[in-house]
Amino acid sequence: MKVITYIINEGTKSQYFGLMTADERQVLHYAPNNWKTRKGALNWAKKHGYEVQE
């Protein structure tokens, strides 16, 4: 499954990143979805067997 990142609270100090499916734009609720960096979210996705779409 291909995934992409999305930003929650963009531009604030409490900004963080989550993951969603690339095709359907559905949030992956079973993923933590609270990474401080985009790279952290992408590393989690790769580690758990997801394909990352840039």
Side-chain angles (χ1 to χ4, degrees):
M1 177 186 315
K2 291 183 181 181
V3 296
I4 57 173
T5 59
Y6 66 96
I7 303 172
I8 302 166
N9 296 332
E10 186 171 8
T12 66
K13 288 185 178 185
S14 62
Q15 172 178 307
Y16 58 99
F17 295 86
L19 292 171
M20 65 171 54
T21 61
D23 298 331
E24 300 170 1
R25 303 282 197 231
Q26 296 291 323
V27 173
L28 297 180
H29 293 287
Y30 45 84
N33 292 331
N34 62 351
W35 295 279
K36 286 292 188 182
T37 64
R38 182 180 311 270
K39 186 174 181 177
L42 296 177
N43 285 340
W44 185 93
K46 289 176 185 175
K47 183 177 178 181
H48 287 85
Y50 293 100
E51 185 178 339
V52 175
Q53 180 174 327
E54 296 298 326

